[in-house]
Amino acid sequence: MDEFTAPTIDWAALSPVLITLAGASVVLLASLFLPPGVRRGFGAAVAAICFVGAAAAAIALFVADESGRGIVSEAIRRDRLAELAQVLVMGAGLLTVGVSYREPERVERAGEYWALLLTAASGMAFFVAANNLMTLFLGLEWFSICLYVLTAIAVERLPGLEAGLKYLIVGSFGSAILLFGSALVYGATGAIGFEEIAAGTAEGERLFLVAGLAMVLVGLGFKASAAPFHMWTPDVYEGAPTPVTGFMAAATKVAALVVTLRLLVTAFPGEEELWTVALAVIVCASLAWGNLAALVQVSVKRMLAYSSISHAGFLLMPIAAGNELGGRALLYYLIAYSAMSVGAFAVVAVRERELAAPVTVGNLAGFGWERPFLGGSMALFMFGFIGLPPAGIFLGKIYAFAAVIERGWTWLAIVGAVFTAVSIYYYVGVIRAMFMQPRELAVAAGGSPPPDRLLVASVAASVVVAVGSLLAADPLIDIARDAVEFLPFPVG
Amino acid sequence: MEEFLVWLVWVVAALALLASGLAVVLFSNPFYSALALIGNLASLAVLYLLLEAEFVAAAQVLVYAGAVVVMFLFVIAYLGGQADTPWAGGPTLQAVAAVVAAGAIAVEVVVVIALQADERLSDAADVGEAFGSPAQIGNLFLSDHLLAFEVTSIVLLVAAVGGVILGSAMPRPRERGER
Amino acid sequence: METTVLILLPIAGAVALWFAPWLTPRAAGGFALLVALAELAFWIGTALNFDFGAAEPQAGADRVWFADLDVAYRVGLHDYTLWLVGLTAVGTAAAVGYGFWVGRERAGVYLSLLLFLEGATVGVFAAQDLVLFYVFWEAMLIPLYVLIGVWGGPGRLGATVKFVVYTMAGSLLMLVAIIAAGLQAGTFDMTSAAGRGSSTWIFLGFAAAFAVKAPLFPFHGWLPDAYRESPPEVAAVLSGVISKTAAYGFLAIAIPFYPGPAEDWRVPALVLASIGLVYGSLLAFRAPDVRGVVAYSSLAQMNLILIGLFAANASGYTGALLQMVNHGLISAALFLLAGAIERRASTGQLVLLGGLARGRPVLATILITTGVIALAVPGSSAFAAEFLVLNGAFAVGWGWAVVGAIAIVLAAMYMLRLVSAVLHENVGSAVPAEALDLRPAEVGVIAPLVVVLLALSFWPAAITDRLSGALF
Amino acid sequence: MLGPGIAAYLVLSVVLFATGALGVLLRRSPLIILLALEIMLNAGNLALIAFARRLGDGDGQIFALTVMVVAAAEAVLGLGLIVAVSRQRADLDVDRLTSLRG
């Protein structure tokens, strides 16, 4: 029998995870004792403090040292890639606090809502640091389960429940595929740690490895909502409470894509010629499916869901390039994209509360002039999603295209350009509805909701990040470079 | 003789596994499906024993057959006639996806069989008495895989919270329910 | 430094207006006009201090934007771009003044968008970095889209969709070309020789964007609708100034950076431009309304400019550049006049117009003067420019010069038709007897454009002699 | 090792996985889909344990144990959702089987 030796734990490295987790426990317990009236404010305050604290902790870790190291037998990594992704997740969470503060469903289950939001962010913070297949699977399930419940948290609304059930079933299907793929990779290489997988790749059974890699990619594709694994996205985005949708669109993408990058680059550098091509195919499928389906959407949330599928394509493009430029492109793109996703869904949430009905392109009519700031911000987000300045996605797309061109895949950049042109039509449709349609086209509004300064502040913060990421491109790209430069990129 | 017995056990367990798996998927009554799942899990436990994973086998029987399946049965009983309501919210494009999945899996079966013919997979490591024992599992869980162990507890906690939230979904009076 | 001010002054004005929604329309309009005039004054100051003849861009700035791809905020003015920036300042000032006087709904937003458009356009001319150029190029699109979509005519929604999809499809191909060119060269610096090459694909990517925006002949599908549905002052800016960015793109990027491919594609380009020239002239002759005539004549003139550019010799370039300034002023003036006419008759249909000259001497004088310069009578600046273009085209092949000469005859026909249909003949059914002459404000907006044109007619060398050899 | 080799276990796990996957894709009843998901996860577990045996490595068994916990958590939530959905349906409109497009 081995002598048991307790592992040494680098508590500092875990602090972003632990801070949010502790916040969740506090909110959960306090909501048992606090009167219902103050639960919402208390929970929101704790959530905001924890998100800020966790982000600060991640930033401190990022600044503290540039070398990465493993935590508890290399189960997770403390490195700048994880820390930057954690900052993004926490930022999305913080914005979501502002957006969801006045969401009607929050009143009843305020405590649980904030606790689940914090736990989901905590799980993502863990997931992005995952360094073996087991922590990857567990981190994925951790935040996914939180999101299933958050989707269905409005338990009196059938659409929300059905969306939650659908998300759970499709999500678990993806996880099961991921699990089986992990098992095959484990069998082929005899290891679950990413570095050991890379080391064991040479002598492993290649067929197992390839099959396992394919299944792992499929599983992650489900989370990133890349076509053809996207079928849950529109229904879930539509059914979930709008602030939750914004959080999912932003934070889940950050987590899934960062982990995809880390896994492929650190664990499968030897299979580069396989996964880059596979990803290129997924990119094309996502761009085509997302953009073409978005053209015919009436519901704004569904349209944004398809737009998020197409952005999954744009975000996977730099990973497919497999070079360091691509890594930088991915992280820079994610900074702008995550802020803008939360902001766009926040504006949808406002209109939804005004109308007490699902927001369609038609009933946005006149919104831009009624609420100039929110309308203008939404216009900025829509132009930004197309890839027009002055939003940072513009540079993100330039970087993504540059990464694939540097790899020699100019055709992929052209595919991206063509589908960007397609996407103009539906994004501009929103702007047209908000500013160019007479107000009478909209359904009579159900009374003006109270002014929601927190939500407006969140939208303003999204705008600042969206525009600021373009102006301050150099420091942000330096940060992105710091975050990825230690990864052993297989190309160039 | 021992070899023969192991083979016999394996064949029986394997047949039971496949048959019960098919039964779970094919029965139209969810109650029978859930019962079939017990058989499935039990035959898996037998296979785990053959693979010298005693602790996992025990956990399989206790956790699954003892808790999860019972929970399924409770819910099925609670829902009664509603239990097998068909539902349009499942994955779409079933036909295409099913064909693709079946094709991919068929390929994998071929791969495995091919590898077996290659004699590469028939070898197994020599393992000591301790392999798969509760002591070894516990040791690993508390050292190398401490984080995984802790995360499982968080996952369970979240599931519990989620269960409470979903359980609180009482039908509401109409005037408040219509939002 | 001065260039940065020229770019940021209007943008700052636009942002200030955007954040001051409480301003009355009058205050907002006054402020916007002030900003536009300040820009113009600043441009004059810059021009007076300009060192004509230097090959390097002047009055510039160079600040790292992001270093890893060597993209920087590099701006500066060449002698040829100085004139185009001046055209932008003059055209926008006129448009802002006109919009202020007409009193658009939500004047603050409207005028701030015009100012933003001005800043972006100056940026396109001044950028010395390909990525920065692209940023400003796309930044022009957003205010134009909103200006046409919100304040345009009844068919504006269709017009904007066409406009945006056409131009974006072209410019996205340019984006890929820019990235490919920059990665090949290792820098996006336009002044460095490293950016130049022989890749046909990159050349075609640039050409796609410029051909759509100019527009070169088969890519003009968006033009008639956009020009008809815009408010007149937006149409004036669009045809007078924005279309010049495309010609500038050919002039400063596509042709000089990729001389090999430009040489290979010269004949197809000349064929298309010639077709566009004749086709546009014929359509202008047949157009039923004032704006249609001006729009199609714009198409024709732009294609004439492209002929000059693709002649790719000093005469062609000089003529094209002079004609860019001329046509910018002419079409801005004509669109504003069209707006003035439409305000009086509430239609632009030529069959319903007529007889506006009687009792309205100022309108008649200004319209006739503009028209006469536009049809390039000898002695006008347009004549000088077209002569240089034809001379340049002749050096390539006499056939092109013949096409150009035919088109000049056609130009005379459609311009005279326009003038006579509006001013002479019988009083049109849509012309009310009490329709006023041009108001002082309208004169104040349009007359300066015409005065500049006249000055250029007397002294075209003001521009042509102040072009260094930097281009050729 | 007595009895069949690891390959036999793998074939079993692949077939089991396929059974579960087809169940998820083809069945319409959410309860049965949940059961089929359990089967898929168990197929993964079988593969993990078979590989663990082959490698003489404990990691696979640990992995399998954590998967069991996750599967239990998913089952709890899935069942909770199914119960909540059926309650709401009974409450709102018995005839309307879905409010979302499939």
Side-chain angles (χ1 to χ4, degrees):
Chain A
M1 190 81 258
D2 303 338
E3 190 65 24
F4 173 74
T5 43
T8 50
I9 297 170
D10 182 356
W11 292 101
L14 288 170
S15 57
V17 178
L18 294 178
I19 289 172
T20 38
L21 209 51
S25 324
V26 168
V27 174
L28 209 51
L29 289 176
S31 64
L32 293 178
F33 304 110
L34 290 174
V38 295
R39 266 182 221 166
R40 183 170 64 167
F42 176 78
V46 172
I49 290 168
C50 289
F51 282 130
V52 172
I59 292 171
L61 289 169
F62 189 96
V63 175
D65 63 339
E66 55 199 48
S67 58
R69 69 182 91 117
I71 306 298
V72 191
S73 312
E74 296 279 340
I76 62 172
R77 292 282 293 180
R78 165 187 173 166
D79 58 29
R80 289 184 155 182
L81 178 63
E83 285 144 14
L84 178 56
Q86 284 163 352
V87 173
L88 291 182
V89 168
M90 298 308 160
L94 183 64
L95 294 180
T96 308
V97 172
V99 177
S100 43
Y101 184 66
R102 285 200 188 276
E103 182 74 6
E105 276 87 26
R106 298 300 68 73
V107 184
E108 304 276 322
R109 271 167 292 278
E112 292 90 337
Y113 176 80
W114 299 117
L116 282 168
L117 191 63
L118 281 164
T119 318
S122 180
M124 289 172 187
F126 181 81
F127 178 59
V128 294
N131 199 39
N132 69 36
L133 293 171
M134 198 192 312
T135 43
L136 181 132
F137 178 79
L138 286 171
L140 185 79
E141 286 297 326
W142 176 355
F143 79 78
S144 298
I145 283 178
C146 297
L147 291 178
Y148 303 152
V149 185
L150 279 173
T151 302
I153 195 156
V155 285
E156 292 80 18
R157 280 179 55 232
L158 191 54
L161 289 174
E162 295 213 327
L165 186 54
K166 177 157 197 165
Y167 195 13
L168 177 115
I169 285 175
V170 181
S172 307
F173 185 64
S175 315
I177 294 175
L178 177 84
L179 171 70
F180 204 85
S182 304
L184 290 179
V185 172
Y186 170 61
T189 61
I192 57 172
F194 291 173
E195 282 86 2
E196 292 84 51
I197 291 172
T201 304
E203 73 265 20
E205 279 94 356
R206 211 174 125 72
L207 283 168
F208 275 4
L209 191 75
V210 171
L213 171 60
M215 293 178 88
V216 170
L217 265 184
V218 169
L220 289 171
F222 271 101
K223 280 297 150 204
S225 62
F229 318 110
H230 64 283
M231 60 296 226
W232 57 276
T233 317
D235 287 345
V236 173
Y237 276 28
E238 190 184 27
T242 309
V244 174
T245 311
F247 180 71
M248 277 198 294
T252 312
K253 268 224 165 61
V254 172
L257 287 161
V258 165
V259 167
T260 307
L261 176 72
R262 181 196 292 275
L263 173 74
L264 292 178
V265 170
T266 54
F268 298 102
E271 308 301 318
E272 170 265 327
E273 73 279 13
L274 285 178
W275 56 257
T276 50
V277 174
L279 281 183
V281 172
I282 294 178
V283 166
C284 294
S286 303
L287 289 177
W289 209 315
N291 284 307
L292 295 178
L295 290 176
V296 296
Q297 298 307 316
V298 175
S299 154
V300 174
K301 276 169 93 176
R302 285 183 86 84
M303 188 278 277
L304 286 174
Y306 281 107
S307 133
S308 110
I309 294 167
S310 91
H311 276 281
F314 284 119
L315 287 160
L316 284 168
M317 197 184 273
I319 304 183
N323 49 24
E324 200 199 325
L325 187 58
R328 254 178 278 157
L330 173 72
L331 286 165
Y332 178 80
Y333 199 129
L334 281 173
I335 293 171
Y337 177 78
S338 54
M340 286 169 62
S341 290
V342 179
F345 280 105
V347 176
V348 174
V350 171
R351 188 60 165 177
E352 196 175 70
R353 289 174 214 169
E354 273 180 13
L355 300 175
V359 181
T360 63
V361 177
N363 64 26
L364 273 176
F367 180 75
W369 298 116
E370 284 165 34
R371 291 176 172 244
F373 176 72
L374 293 175
S377 307
M378 189 68 168
L380 175 81
F381 298 145
M382 293 298 114
F383 280 128
F385 282 142
I386 296 175
L388 289 176
I393 288 184
F394 167 71
L395 272 192
K397 278 194 179 170
I398 286 191
Y399 260 88
F401 290 173
V404 290
I405 290 176
E406 187 169 89
R407 194 202 158 85
W409 285 355
T410 309
W411 61 272
L412 195 55
I414 292 176
V415 170
V418 167
F419 282 109
T420 302
V422 172
S423 74
I424 295 166
Y425 186 81
Y426 59 86
Y427 288 127
V428 152
V430 171
I431 298 168
R432 189 168 60 197
M434 288 192 306
F435 289 99
M436 303 173 195
Q437 306 278 19
R439 202 195 165 299
E440 300 76 55
L441 287 185
V443 185
S448 239
D452 190 348
R453 294 207 175 76
L454 278 177
L455 186 143
V456 171
S458 283
V459 174
S462 312
V463 170
V464 168
V465 175
V467 178
S469 59
L470 183 78
L471 298 179
D474 204 33
L476 289 178
I477 286 167
D478 281 345
I479 290 171
R481 181 209 314 278
D482 289 345
V484 299
E485 67 186 351
F486 65 90
L487 291 176
F489 285 98
V491 182
Chain B
M1 187 59 205
E2 201 184 357
E3 175 84 14
F4 172 74
L5 275 179
V6 170
W7 265 103
L8 186 66
V9 171
W10 186 85
V11 168
V12 172
L15 287 178
L17 181 78
L18 297 182
S20 59
L22 276 177
V24 170
V25 170
L26 294 179
F27 276 139
S28 58
N29 186 337
F31 191 78
Y32 295 135
S33 279
L35 287 181
L37 186 64
I38 297 183
N40 191 272
L41 299 172
S43 27
L44 270 173
V46 171
L47 292 175
Y48 292 169
L49 282 176
L50 291 181
L51 289 166
E52 283 160 70
E54 295 94 9
F55 184 78
V56 184
Q60 173 89 356
V61 172
L62 289 174
V63 173
Y64 259 122
V68 175
V69 177
V70 171
M71 196 165 61
F72 268 99
L73 291 173
F74 267 128
V75 168
I76 292 163
Y78 171 80
L79 292 178
Q82 273 191 303
D84 51 349
T85 312
W87 176 65
T92 49
L93 300 167
Q94 281 83 5
V96 179
V99 169
V100 171
I105 283 155
V107 169
E108 281 188 41
V109 173
V110 171
V111 166
V112 172
I113 291 169
L115 284 171
Q116 188 201 26
D118 217 17
E119 292 287 314
R120 276 197 287 168
L121 276 178
S122 47
D123 58 333
D126 291 325
V127 292
E129 263 307 288
F131 184 73
S133 68
Q136 190 212 15
I137 300 284
N139 223 333
L140 278 174
F141 252 142
L142 291 179
S143 58
D144 283 359
H145 300 301
L146 178 65
L147 285 175
F149 184 63
E150 297 299 335
V151 171
T152 54
S153 62
I154 296 167
V155 169
L156 279 180
L157 181 69
V158 175
V161 172
V164 170
I165 292 174
L166 295 170
S168 70
M170 300 307 287
R172 310 177 76 193
R174 270 307 153 90
E175 64 276 13
R176 295 189 62 208
E178 292 299 323
R179 197 180 77 71
Chain C
M1 182 60 211
E2 289 87 345
T3 315
T4 307
V5 175
L6 283 172
I7 296 170
L8 288 187
L9 178 69
I11 292 181
V15 172
L17 274 179
W18 190 262
F19 282 103
W22 62 86
L23 285 180
T24 61
R26 181 174 289 270
F31 178 75
L33 187 58
L34 208 63
V35 172
L37 291 176
E39 170 89 351
L40 185 55
F42 197 83
W43 175 76
I44 292 172
T46 311
L48 290 177
N49 292 325
F50 205 78
D51 173 19
F52 295 95
E56 292 301 306
Q58 299 173 42
D62 187 344
R63 286 190 54 189
V64 173
W65 184 8
F66 42 105
D68 63 338
L69 296 182
D70 194 20
V71 173
Y73 173 78
R74 299 185 181 98
V75 293
L77 294 177
H78 285 287
D79 40 19
Y80 51 96
T81 47
L82 179 72
W83 301 112
L84 297 173
V85 172
L87 171 68
T88 310
V90 173
T92 309
V96 168
Y98 189 86
F100 175 33
W101 182 73
V102 168
R104 298 281 165 206
E105 218 180 320
R106 303 190 179 93
V109 182
Y110 181 79
L111 295 172
S112 80
L113 287 169
L114 270 177
L115 288 176
F116 185 83
L117 180 60
E118 178 178 25
T121 314
V122 174
V124 168
F125 291 133
Q128 298 299 330
D129 183 286
L130 284 173
V131 170
L132 191 68
F133 172 81
Y134 187 78
V135 169
F136 286 124
W137 180 268
E138 294 294 31
M140 291 192 307
L141 185 65
I142 294 172
L144 271 177
Y145 171 74
V146 181
L147 282 169
I148 302 176
V150 176
W151 287 274
R156 61 188 194 277
L157 295 184
T160 47
V161 167
K162 248 192 211 170
F163 173 64
V164 170
V165 171
Y166 261 92
T167 47
M168 278 291 284
S171 57
L172 284 165
L173 294 177
M174 174 167 80
L175 174 63
V176 177
I178 285 179
I179 297 170
L183 287 179
Q184 263 176 23
T187 176
F188 286 86
D189 190 350
M190 281 162 70
T191 53
S192 101
R196 312 176 180 210
S198 56
S199 161
T200 305
W201 292 112
I202 295 180
F203 169 76
L204 287 179
F206 279 109
F210 302 146
V212 170
K213 203 122 185 173
L216 189 63
F217 160 62
F219 309 105
H220 64 279
W222 58 271
L223 177 137
D225 284 353
Y227 284 10
R228 274 211 187 91
E229 302 298 339
S230 309
E233 60 273 32
V234 174
V237 172
L238 184 55
S239 86
V241 180
I242 306 297
S243 63
K244 303 304 172 291
T245 59
Y248 166 78
F250 277 115
L251 172 88
I253 299 175
I255 296 174
F257 286 13
Y258 302 96
E263 180 72 31
D264 298 341
W265 287 81
R266 174 196 278 178
V267 172
L270 282 172
V271 167
L272 291 179
S274 303
I275 295 174
L277 176 56
V278 175
Y279 176 74
S281 303
L282 290 173
L283 284 179
F285 188 67
R286 288 196 46 211
D289 55 340
V290 182
R291 286 224 218 163
V293 175
V294 186
Y296 285 115
S297 84
S298 217
L299 173 62
Q301 293 296 318
M302 286 310 297
N303 281 280
L304 180 70
I305 291 170
L306 294 181
I307 289 179
L309 292 176
F310 274 99
N313 50 36
S315 173
Y317 267 20
T318 313
L321 188 76
L322 183 59
Q323 184 63 3
M324 277 155 81
V325 177
N326 282 332
H327 174 251
L329 296 166
I330 293 168
S331 73
L334 284 177
F335 270 114
L336 294 181
L337 284 167
I341 293 164
E342 285 169 9
R343 275 175 69 79
R344 285 164 175 74
S346 47
T347 176
Q349 296 294 315
L350 292 175
V351 288
L352 305 176
L353 294 171
L356 269 169
R358 215 160 305 144
R360 300 172 191 93
V362 184
L363 173 65
T365 313
I366 291 183
L367 182 57
I368 288 173
T369 316
T370 319
V372 164
I373 296 174
L375 61 77
V377 290
S380 70
S381 60
F383 176 78
E386 290 181 14
F387 180 79
L388 285 168
V389 167
L390 294 184
N391 188 30
F394 187 77
V396 180
W398 58 268
W400 311 118
V402 170
V403 174
I406 293 173
I408 290 177
V409 175
L410 288 171
M413 286 166 63
Y414 62 69
M415 268 304 151
L416 293 175
R417 168 170 173 262
L418 173 69
V419 169
S420 79
V422 172
L423 297 179
H424 310 304
E425 301 180 356
N426 299 323
V427 176
S429 54
V431 178
E434 66 276 16
L436 296 170
D437 198 358
L438 284 188
R439 310 303 302 148
E442 287 172 310
V443 176
V445 166
I446 301 171
L449 301 174
V450 182
V451 170
V452 176
L453 274 173
L454 287 172
L456 279 179
S457 299
F458 285 115
W459 193 31
I463 291 179
T464 52
D465 282 1
R466 280 184 174 67
L467 292 178
S468 67
L471 264 180
F472 332 117
Chain D
M1 185 176 144
L2 296 171
I6 298 298
Y9 291 91
L10 288 180
V11 172
L12 273 185
S13 80
V14 168
V15 174
L16 192 62
F17 186 82
T19 312
L22 288 175
V24 173
L25 292 169
L26 296 177
R27 293 303 300 261
R28 312 304 302 143
S29 157
L31 269 168
I32 299 210
I33 292 178
L34 272 188
L35 291 167
L37 279 172
E38 299 293 323
I39 289 187
M40 287 176 78
L41 288 171
N42 274 302
N45 271 357
L46 180 55
L48 277 173
I49 287 170
F51 280 127
R53 174 68 188 85
R54 169 163 173 255
L55 300 162
D57 176 36
D59 288 355
Q61 296 193 6
I62 300 285
F63 202 159
L65 282 167
T66 62
V67 171
M68 274 184 203
V69 175
V70 166
E74 278 179 358
V76 168
L77 286 182
L79 290 172
L81 282 165
I82 290 171
V83 171
V85 165
S86 59
R87 273 194 198 163
Q88 289 298 315
R89 263 196 207 134
D91 182 40
L92 288 174
D93 185 353
V94 184
D95 297 327
R96 196 179 58 171
L97 289 176
T98 177
S99 60
L100 286 176
R101 276 164 279 170

